[in-house]
Amino acid sequence: MFKNLTVVDHPLVQAKLTIMRQKDTKPPEFRRLLREISVLLAYEVTRDTKLTMARIETPITFMDAPVPAEKDPCIVSILRAGNGILDGMLDLLPTARVGHIGLYRDPISLAAVEYYFKLPQDVSERHVIVVDPMLATGNSSVAAVSRLLEVNPLSIKFVCLVAAPEGVKAMLDSHPQIPVFAAALDSHLNDHSYIVPGLGDAGDRLYGTR
Ligand code: URA
């Protein structure tokens, strides 16, 4: 449906997401499931990692074996809900570097305003994976990617849990070169810009703030 979108339709991802969507699922289980799904999303999003051969010694003999050819990726969390995906990605990619972007929506202009931006110094030598569970209007995700393009990383991919068509289209319109990975593409946004059927406010459900 969207040429920039990969839906990770692995049965384990889908079954875990179903539990997350249910309104009675409490923060500890919600956090755990997001962490588990994020491991599986990290597996998919790193599928094109370049390898090179290195000489190693096993207990039996020497061999040429594959090792990563480039620096570890940098995972960039869009605060605060992005941290829920970040934790799972770091389980699979423990040597990845981490960046954080904080954005809020200006109540008058509705534009995304940056309040926090911290990346590894050598991010221009790394592939970046931007994470935020809900790709809704796409305003903050598009703004985050625009900001990251300024620091010139090797590449950028965007990973979310649930995407709305409006958000995927916004990303495609602004950044057609950025691949988007999601566990589900939902129906639409409601009048409050929540994803339908979605799972509610991901940050609140992760951290029990409502
Ligand atoms: N952010 C959320 O947490 N949930 C939505 O449905 C949309 C944006």
Side-chain angles (χ1 to χ4, degrees):
M1 185 180 181
F2 291 104
K3 67 177 183 345
N4 59 337
L5 178 68
T6 301
V7 174
V8 179
D9 59 359
H10 192 290
L12 290 179
V13 172
Q14 297 305 312
K16 289 175 192 290
L17 175 58
T18 297
I19 303 170
M20 293 185 73
R21 288 185 189 274
Q22 293 170 43
K23 66 180 172 50
D24 291 334
T25 301
K26 301 279 183 294
E29 191 176 13
F30 190 93
R31 271 199 303 274
R32 178 180 59 76
L33 289 162
L34 182 56
R35 190 170 184 142
E36 290 171 4
I37 290 176
S38 300
V39 172
L40 301 167
L41 295 176
Y43 177 81
E44 283 299 329
V45 77
T46 54
R47 192 173 275 284
D48 60 356
T49 300
K50 291 192 180 67
L51 297 174
T52 187
M53 300 307 268
R55 195 76 179 157
I56 63 161
E57 186 179 6
T58 78
I60 310 297
T61 185
F62 289 91
M63 70 175 287
D64 292 322
V67 294
E70 296 175 302
K71 285 192 174 183
D72 291 313
C74 175
I75 306 166
V76 176
S77 167
I78 302 181
L79 299 172
R80 66 182 162 152
N83 285 359
I85 295 187
L86 172 65
D87 291 342
M89 291 230 164
L90 285 174
D91 287 344
L92 192 69
L93 304 166
T95 55
R97 298 302 167 96
V98 175
H100 293 91
I101 299 185
L103 300 163
Y104 71 88
R105 185 195 287 213
D106 183 278
I108 311 281
S109 68
L110 302 183
V113 182
E114 180 183 308
Y115 66 86
Y116 192 77
F117 188 76
K118 189 78 179 175
L119 299 176
Q121 274 183 342
D122 60 356
V123 69
S124 64
E125 296 164 33
R126 297 178 187 271
H127 296 280
V128 163
I129 304 168
V130 191
V131 298
D132 194 0
M134 309 302 276
L135 180 57
T137 62
N139 289 342
S140 53
S141 310
V142 166
V145 169
S146 300
R147 185 69 175 85
L148 285 163
L149 285 168
E150 289 175 20
V151 300
N152 209 24
L154 294 178
S155 70
I156 301 177
K157 290 176 184 152
F158 184 86
V159 176
C160 61
L161 181 66
V162 180
E166 293 90 334
V168 181
K169 182 172 184 309
M171 189 65 87
L172 184 60
D173 290 346
S174 297
H175 301 301
Q177 78 280 25
I178 305 298
V180 174
F181 291 75
L185 176 65
D186 273 12
S187 169
H188 62 279
L189 298 180
N190 68 14
D191 293 343
H192 302 284
S193 297
Y194 278 91
I195 298 177
V196 181
L199 47 71
D201 187 295
D204 283 341
R205 297 204 60 192
L206 273 168
Y207 301 119
T209 39
R210 183 166 295 167

